[in-house]
Structure formats: structure tokens, C-alpha cells
Short mmCIF file of all heavy atoms in Angstrom, two decimals:
data_model
loop_
_atom_site.label_atom_id
_atom_site.label_comp_id
_atom_site.label_asym_id
_atom_site.label_seq_id
_atom_site.Cartn_x
_atom_site.Cartn_y
_atom_site.Cartn_z
N ALA U 1 -9.33 -2.17 -9.15
CA ALA U 1 -9.36 -0.98 -8.26
C ALA U 1 -9.30 -1.14 -6.87
O ALA U 1 -8.57 -0.47 -6.17
CB ALA U 1 -10.70 -0.20 -8.63
N ALA U 2 -9.81 -2.37 -6.34
CA ALA U 2 -9.75 -2.73 -4.95
C ALA U 2 -8.30 -2.96 -4.59
O ALA U 2 -7.75 -2.54 -3.58
CB ALA U 2 -10.65 -3.92 -4.76
N VAL U 3 -7.55 -3.71 -5.44
CA VAL U 3 -6.19 -4.06 -5.21
C VAL U 3 -5.30 -2.65 -5.19
O VAL U 3 -4.61 -2.62 -4.23
CB VAL U 3 -5.67 -5.00 -6.31
CG1 VAL U 3 -4.12 -5.14 -6.15
CG2 VAL U 3 -6.27 -6.44 -6.09
N ARG U 4 -5.61 -1.87 -6.07
CA ARG U 4 -4.74 -0.70 -6.08
C ARG U 4 -5.09 0.21 -4.87
O ARG U 4 -4.17 0.85 -4.30
CB ARG U 4 -5.09 0.15 -7.36
CG ARG U 4 -4.45 -0.35 -8.53
CD ARG U 4 -4.69 0.62 -9.76
NE ARG U 4 -4.04 0.17 -11.03
CZ ARG U 4 -2.85 0.08 -11.31
NH1 ARG U 4 -1.86 0.62 -10.54
NH2 ARG U 4 -2.46 -0.34 -12.44
N PHE U 5 -6.29 0.25 -4.44
CA PHE U 5 -6.70 1.01 -3.27
C PHE U 5 -6.11 0.56 -1.96
O PHE U 5 -5.53 1.20 -1.19
CB PHE U 5 -8.26 1.02 -3.16
CG PHE U 5 -8.82 1.76 -1.97
CD1 PHE U 5 -8.98 3.13 -2.05
CD2 PHE U 5 -9.21 1.07 -0.81
CE1 PHE U 5 -9.23 3.76 -0.94
CE2 PHE U 5 -9.68 1.72 0.24
CZ PHE U 5 -9.71 3.26 0.21
N ILE U 6 -6.02 -0.85 -1.90
CA ILE U 6 -5.48 -1.44 -0.61
C ILE U 6 -4.01 -1.15 -0.66
O ILE U 6 -3.33 -0.84 0.33
CB ILE U 6 -5.77 -3.00 -0.54
CG1 ILE U 6 -7.29 -3.15 -0.30
CG2 ILE U 6 -5.03 -3.65 0.47
CD1 ILE U 6 -7.82 -4.52 -0.51
N LEU U 7 -3.43 -1.25 -1.79
CA LEU U 7 -1.81 -1.10 -1.87
C LEU U 7 -1.48 0.38 -1.47
O LEU U 7 -0.50 0.66 -0.90
CB LEU U 7 -1.38 -1.56 -3.22
CG LEU U 7 -1.29 -2.92 -3.41
CD1 LEU U 7 -0.98 -3.29 -4.95
CD2 LEU U 7 -0.33 -3.77 -2.57
N GLU U 8 -2.38 1.31 -1.84
CA GLU U 8 -2.05 2.67 -1.65
C GLU U 8 -2.23 2.89 -0.16
O GLU U 8 -1.38 3.76 0.41
CB GLU U 8 -3.18 3.53 -2.35
CG GLU U 8 -2.95 5.03 -2.35
CD GLU U 8 -2.00 5.44 -3.28
OE1 GLU U 8 -1.69 4.55 -4.30
OE2 GLU U 8 -1.37 6.51 -3.05
N ILE U 9 -3.13 2.17 0.58
CA ILE U 9 -3.10 2.35 2.00
C ILE U 9 -1.98 1.49 2.72
O ILE U 9 -1.57 1.92 3.78
CB ILE U 9 -4.52 1.96 2.50
CG1 ILE U 9 -5.46 2.88 1.86
CG2 ILE U 9 -4.70 1.80 4.00
CD1 ILE U 9 -7.06 2.49 2.15
N ASN U 10 -1.76 0.27 2.19
CA ASN U 10 -0.92 -0.62 2.99
C ASN U 10 0.62 -0.38 2.80
O ASN U 10 1.32 -0.80 3.72
CB ASN U 10 -1.23 -2.05 2.61
CG ASN U 10 -2.41 -2.68 3.16
OD1 ASN U 10 -3.26 -1.81 3.71
ND2 ASN U 10 -2.67 -3.91 3.23
N ILE U 11 0.89 0.37 1.68
CA ILE U 11 2.29 0.57 1.38
C ILE U 11 2.54 2.03 1.59
O ILE U 11 2.09 2.81 0.84
CB ILE U 11 2.76 0.16 0.02
CG1 ILE U 11 2.39 -1.29 -0.24
CG2 ILE U 11 4.33 0.35 -0.16
CD1 ILE U 11 2.87 -2.35 0.61
N VAL U 12 3.28 2.43 2.79
CA VAL U 12 3.21 3.81 3.27
C VAL U 12 4.68 4.50 3.03
O VAL U 12 5.61 3.77 3.31
CB VAL U 12 2.87 3.77 4.67
CG1 VAL U 12 2.92 5.28 5.27
CG2 VAL U 12 1.45 3.25 4.90
N TRP U 13 4.56 5.76 2.61
CA TRP U 13 5.80 6.66 2.55
C TRP U 13 5.97 7.20 3.90
O TRP U 13 5.16 8.05 4.33
CB TRP U 13 5.57 7.67 1.65
CG TRP U 13 6.86 8.58 1.45
CD1 TRP U 13 8.10 8.29 1.70
CD2 TRP U 13 6.87 9.95 1.16
NE1 TRP U 13 8.95 9.33 1.42
CE2 TRP U 13 8.20 10.39 1.18
CE3 TRP U 13 5.80 10.99 0.70
CZ2 TRP U 13 8.55 11.67 0.85
CZ3 TRP U 13 6.29 12.29 0.64
CH2 TRP U 13 7.50 12.52 0.62
N GLY U 14 6.83 6.62 4.71
CA GLY U 14 7.01 7.02 6.18
C GLY U 14 8.43 6.54 6.65
O GLY U 14 9.21 5.91 5.92
N ASP U 15 8.52 6.97 8.00
CA ASP U 15 9.68 6.63 8.65
C ASP U 15 9.35 5.57 9.90
O ASP U 15 8.55 5.99 10.78
CB ASP U 15 10.49 7.83 9.26
CG ASP U 15 11.77 7.54 9.97
OD1 ASP U 15 12.03 6.33 10.34
OD2 ASP U 15 12.54 8.42 9.93
N ALA U 16 9.71 4.38 9.74
CA ALA U 16 9.19 3.35 10.70
C ALA U 16 10.01 3.67 12.16
O ALA U 16 9.59 2.88 13.02
CB ALA U 16 9.55 1.85 10.17
N LEU U 17 11.05 4.35 12.16
CA LEU U 17 11.67 4.62 13.33
C LEU U 17 11.00 5.74 14.18
O LEU U 17 10.93 5.55 15.49
CB LEU U 17 13.12 5.14 13.09
CG LEU U 17 14.09 4.13 12.35
CD1 LEU U 17 15.50 4.74 12.16
CD2 LEU U 17 14.19 2.97 13.25
N ASP U 18 10.36 6.61 13.57
CA ASP U 18 9.59 7.59 14.36
C ASP U 18 8.05 7.49 14.19
O ASP U 18 7.30 8.16 14.80
CB ASP U 18 9.98 9.08 14.17
CG ASP U 18 9.61 9.61 12.74
OD1 ASP U 18 8.88 8.81 12.09
OD2 ASP U 18 10.10 10.59 12.42
N PHE U 19 7.75 6.34 13.50
CA PHE U 19 6.25 6.04 13.33
C PHE U 19 5.43 7.10 12.65
O PHE U 19 4.22 7.11 12.85
CB PHE U 19 5.59 5.61 14.61
CG PHE U 19 6.44 4.66 15.39
CD1 PHE U 19 7.16 4.96 16.46
CD2 PHE U 19 6.27 3.17 15.06
CE1 PHE U 19 7.90 3.92 17.14
CE2 PHE U 19 6.91 2.29 15.70
CZ PHE U 19 7.73 2.67 16.70
N LYS U 20 6.02 7.97 11.79
CA LYS U 20 5.32 9.04 11.16
C LYS U 20 5.46 8.96 9.62
O LYS U 20 6.42 8.61 9.13
CB LYS U 20 5.77 10.46 11.60
CG LYS U 20 5.48 10.68 13.26
CD LYS U 20 6.02 12.09 13.55
CE LYS U 20 5.61 12.31 15.04
NZ LYS U 20 6.06 13.75 15.37
N THR U 21 4.46 9.55 9.01
CA THR U 21 4.66 9.61 7.55
C THR U 21 5.51 10.59 7.06
O THR U 21 6.02 11.66 7.95
CB THR U 21 3.19 10.11 6.93
OG1 THR U 21 2.83 11.44 7.35
CG2 THR U 21 2.20 9.12 7.26
N LYS U 22 6.09 10.60 5.79
CA LYS U 22 6.97 11.55 5.39
C LYS U 22 6.39 12.80 4.69
O LYS U 22 7.03 13.81 4.76
CB LYS U 22 8.08 10.92 4.50
CG LYS U 22 8.99 9.86 5.14
CD LYS U 22 9.82 10.45 6.14
CE LYS U 22 10.89 11.46 5.40
NZ LYS U 22 11.86 12.06 6.42
N ASP U 23 5.26 12.63 4.31
CA ASP U 23 4.59 13.81 3.59
C ASP U 23 4.05 14.71 4.58
O ASP U 23 3.70 14.24 5.71
CB ASP U 23 3.40 13.32 2.58
CG ASP U 23 2.49 12.31 3.14
OD1 ASP U 23 2.94 11.48 4.17
OD2 ASP U 23 1.33 12.36 2.86
N GLU U 24 3.99 15.93 4.25
CA GLU U 24 3.56 16.96 5.19
C GLU U 24 2.05 17.12 5.22
O GLU U 24 1.42 17.10 4.15
CB GLU U 24 4.25 18.37 4.80
CG GLU U 24 5.77 18.33 4.90
CD GLU U 24 6.23 18.08 6.31
OE1 GLU U 24 5.36 18.40 7.23
OE2 GLU U 24 7.42 17.78 6.65
N PRO U 25 1.41 17.36 6.28
CA PRO U 25 2.04 17.44 7.67
C PRO U 25 2.20 15.95 8.06
O PRO U 25 1.60 14.90 7.70
CB PRO U 25 0.97 18.01 8.50
CG PRO U 25 -0.26 17.69 7.79
CD PRO U 25 -0.04 17.73 6.34
N ARG U 26 3.54 15.69 8.75
CA ARG U 26 3.92 14.42 9.27
C ARG U 26 2.98 14.08 10.34
O ARG U 26 2.79 14.71 11.38
CB ARG U 26 5.32 14.47 9.65
CG ARG U 26 6.30 14.77 8.59
CD ARG U 26 7.79 14.41 8.99
NE ARG U 26 7.85 13.04 9.07
CZ ARG U 26 8.68 12.40 9.83
NH1 ARG U 26 9.53 13.05 10.57
NH2 ARG U 26 8.85 11.07 9.88
N VAL U 27 2.21 12.88 10.14
CA VAL U 27 1.36 12.43 11.15
C VAL U 27 1.74 10.86 11.44
O VAL U 27 2.33 10.33 10.69
CB VAL U 27 -0.15 12.55 10.57
CG1 VAL U 27 -0.59 13.86 10.31
CG2 VAL U 27 -0.36 11.67 9.30
N PRO U 28 1.24 10.45 12.60
CA PRO U 28 1.51 9.11 12.96
C PRO U 28 0.88 8.13 11.73
O PRO U 28 -0.10 8.20 11.28
CB PRO U 28 0.69 8.92 14.24
CG PRO U 28 0.49 10.20 14.85
CD PRO U 28 0.54 11.08 13.68
N ILE U 29 1.72 7.15 11.52
CA ILE U 29 1.32 6.16 10.58
C ILE U 29 0.20 5.16 11.05
O ILE U 29 0.36 4.84 12.22
CB ILE U 29 2.51 5.25 10.19
CG1 ILE U 29 3.72 6.10 9.39
CG2 ILE U 29 2.11 4.00 9.22
CD1 ILE U 29 4.94 5.35 9.16
N ARG U 30 -0.79 4.98 10.41
CA ARG U 30 -1.76 4.17 10.68
C ARG U 30 -1.90 3.03 9.66
O ARG U 30 -1.57 3.34 8.49
CB ARG U 30 -3.12 4.73 10.83
CG ARG U 30 -3.79 5.44 9.71
CD ARG U 30 -5.09 5.86 9.94
NE ARG U 30 -5.16 6.94 10.86
CZ ARG U 30 -6.42 7.52 11.35
NH1 ARG U 30 -7.51 7.06 10.73
NH2 ARG U 30 -6.45 8.32 12.16
N PHE U 31 -2.16 1.81 10.06
CA PHE U 31 -2.46 0.71 9.09
C PHE U 31 -3.81 0.21 9.22
O PHE U 31 -4.35 0.18 10.31
CB PHE U 31 -1.44 -0.44 9.40
CG PHE U 31 -0.09 -0.21 8.65
CD1 PHE U 31 1.05 -0.20 9.38
CD2 PHE U 31 0.00 -0.01 7.30
CE1 PHE U 31 2.27 0.00 8.83
CE2 PHE U 31 1.13 0.22 6.63
CZ PHE U 31 2.38 0.19 7.50
N SER U 32 -4.33 -0.53 8.18
CA SER U 32 -5.67 -0.86 8.12
C SER U 32 -5.74 -2.50 8.31
O SER U 32 -4.80 -3.21 7.56
CB SER U 32 -6.40 -0.55 6.82
OG SER U 32 -6.66 0.89 6.81
N GLU U 33 -6.47 -2.98 9.13
CA GLU U 33 -6.63 -4.37 9.32
C GLU U 33 -7.85 -4.75 8.34
O GLU U 33 -8.85 -4.11 8.58
CB GLU U 33 -6.98 -4.78 10.70
CG GLU U 33 -7.46 -6.25 10.88
CD GLU U 33 -7.92 -6.44 12.15
OE1 GLU U 33 -9.16 -6.19 12.48
OE2 GLU U 33 -7.20 -6.90 13.12
N TRP U 34 -7.72 -5.67 7.46
CA TRP U 34 -8.83 -5.98 6.52
C TRP U 34 -9.26 -7.44 6.96
O TRP U 34 -8.41 -8.27 6.77
CB TRP U 34 -8.33 -6.10 5.10
CG TRP U 34 -7.75 -4.67 4.67
CD1 TRP U 34 -6.32 -4.42 4.85
CD2 TRP U 34 -8.32 -3.59 4.17
NE1 TRP U 34 -6.10 -3.16 4.27
CE2 TRP U 34 -7.27 -2.62 3.89
CE3 TRP U 34 -9.66 -3.22 3.83
CZ2 TRP U 34 -7.52 -1.35 3.30
CZ3 TRP U 34 -9.76 -1.96 3.26
CH2 TRP U 34 -8.80 -1.07 2.96
N SER U 35 -10.41 -7.61 7.36
CA SER U 35 -10.94 -8.91 7.89
C SER U 35 -12.17 -9.30 6.95
O SER U 35 -13.14 -8.51 6.83
CB SER U 35 -11.25 -8.93 9.35
OG SER U 35 -10.16 -8.42 10.03
N PRO U 36 -12.25 -10.55 6.53
CA PRO U 36 -13.37 -10.97 5.80
C PRO U 36 -14.56 -11.32 6.64
O PRO U 36 -14.43 -11.94 7.72
CB PRO U 36 -12.89 -12.37 5.10
CG PRO U 36 -11.77 -12.83 6.12
CD PRO U 36 -11.03 -11.54 6.56
N VAL U 37 -15.76 -10.92 6.30
CA VAL U 37 -17.01 -11.21 7.08
C VAL U 37 -18.04 -11.58 6.06
O VAL U 37 -18.10 -11.01 5.05
CB VAL U 37 -17.27 -10.02 7.99
CG1 VAL U 37 -16.28 -9.87 9.07
CG2 VAL U 37 -17.38 -8.78 7.27
N ASN U 38 -18.78 -12.52 6.48
CA ASN U 38 -19.93 -12.92 5.61
C ASN U 38 -19.69 -13.09 4.20
O ASN U 38 -20.11 -12.54 3.25
CB ASN U 38 -21.12 -11.85 5.82
CG ASN U 38 -21.61 -11.71 7.18
OD1 ASN U 38 -21.51 -12.73 7.96
ND2 ASN U 38 -21.91 -10.56 7.53
N GLY U 39 -18.67 -13.95 3.81
CA GLY U 39 -18.38 -14.32 2.53
C GLY U 39 -17.57 -13.24 1.80
O GLY U 39 -16.28 -13.13 1.81
N SER U 40 -18.20 -12.38 0.95
CA SER U 40 -17.61 -11.33 0.10
C SER U 40 -17.43 -10.06 0.85
O SER U 40 -17.07 -9.02 0.06
CB SER U 40 -18.36 -11.21 -1.20
OG SER U 40 -18.36 -12.39 -1.91
N MET U 41 -17.68 -9.85 2.01
CA MET U 41 -17.71 -8.62 2.78
C MET U 41 -16.19 -8.45 3.43
O MET U 41 -15.67 -9.46 3.94
CB MET U 41 -18.67 -8.38 3.78
CG MET U 41 -20.12 -8.60 3.17
SD MET U 41 -20.61 -7.38 1.90
CE MET U 41 -21.17 -6.14 3.04
N LEU U 42 -15.80 -7.28 3.45
CA LEU U 42 -14.55 -6.86 4.25
C LEU U 42 -14.79 -5.94 5.27
O LEU U 42 -15.50 -4.96 4.92
CB LEU U 42 -13.45 -6.38 3.20
CG LEU U 42 -12.51 -7.46 2.57
CD1 LEU U 42 -11.55 -6.84 1.69
CD2 LEU U 42 -11.77 -8.40 3.38
N LYS U 43 -14.26 -6.10 6.45
CA LYS U 43 -14.30 -5.14 7.47
C LYS U 43 -12.92 -4.49 7.67
O LYS U 43 -11.93 -5.12 7.77
CB LYS U 43 -14.74 -5.84 8.71
CG LYS U 43 -14.62 -5.06 10.01
CD LYS U 43 -15.73 -3.99 10.14
CE LYS U 43 -15.76 -3.29 11.45
NZ LYS U 43 -16.84 -2.26 11.50
N ARG U 44 -12.89 -3.14 7.59
CA ARG U 44 -11.62 -2.39 7.82
C ARG U 44 -11.66 -1.74 9.11
O ARG U 44 -12.60 -0.98 9.57
CB ARG U 44 -11.55 -1.30 6.66
CG ARG U 44 -10.47 -0.53 6.76
CD ARG U 44 -10.31 0.71 5.71
NE ARG U 44 -9.29 1.72 6.02
CZ ARG U 44 -9.19 2.75 5.16
NH1 ARG U 44 -10.03 3.01 4.23
NH2 ARG U 44 -8.13 3.69 5.43
N ARG U 45 -10.48 -1.86 9.88
CA ARG U 45 -10.18 -1.15 11.08
C ARG U 45 -8.83 -0.53 11.07
O ARG U 45 -7.92 -1.27 10.65
CB ARG U 45 -10.27 -2.10 12.32
CG ARG U 45 -11.61 -2.69 12.39
CD ARG U 45 -11.99 -3.44 13.78
NE ARG U 45 -10.82 -4.38 13.97
CZ ARG U 45 -10.63 -4.91 15.39
NH1 ARG U 45 -11.33 -4.51 16.29
NH2 ARG U 45 -9.74 -5.75 15.54
N ASP U 46 -8.61 0.60 11.43
CA ASP U 46 -7.40 1.26 11.41
C ASP U 46 -6.68 1.25 12.79
O ASP U 46 -7.27 1.60 13.81
CB ASP U 46 -7.51 2.79 10.89
CG ASP U 46 -7.84 2.79 9.44
OD1 ASP U 46 -7.83 1.85 8.77
OD2 ASP U 46 -8.19 4.01 8.92
N PHE U 47 -5.51 1.04 12.81
CA PHE U 47 -4.72 1.00 14.03
C PHE U 47 -3.32 1.81 13.84
O PHE U 47 -2.89 1.88 12.85
CB PHE U 47 -4.26 -0.50 14.40
CG PHE U 47 -5.32 -1.29 14.83
CD1 PHE U 47 -6.10 -2.02 13.86
CD2 PHE U 47 -5.66 -1.48 16.18
CE1 PHE U 47 -7.17 -2.86 14.20
CE2 PHE U 47 -6.72 -2.30 16.50
CZ PHE U 47 -7.57 -2.95 15.51
#
């Protein structure tokens, strides 16, 4: 489930030329940075 969830967020239906998603409403594409902390913990930050 964790792998599916991450892929759902990391692989985006969008246009990399105008930096927006293709689904409506079209909004700026954001990506999540996943960083390991304290062993088995993950820290997510969106950019």
C-alpha cells in the first residue's frame, strides 16, 4: 500500500511544459520529497 500510495503521488498526469496537472481544475504540479529519518520513519515535504 505504501508503494502504491507513493507512485500515485510521484507519477503525475500533467504537462511538464506549463507545470500544471491535466485533470480539472488544472493546478500547479507539486512533487513530494521523501526523506528517511530515525530509521523507519519518512518525512514528506511538497515542492
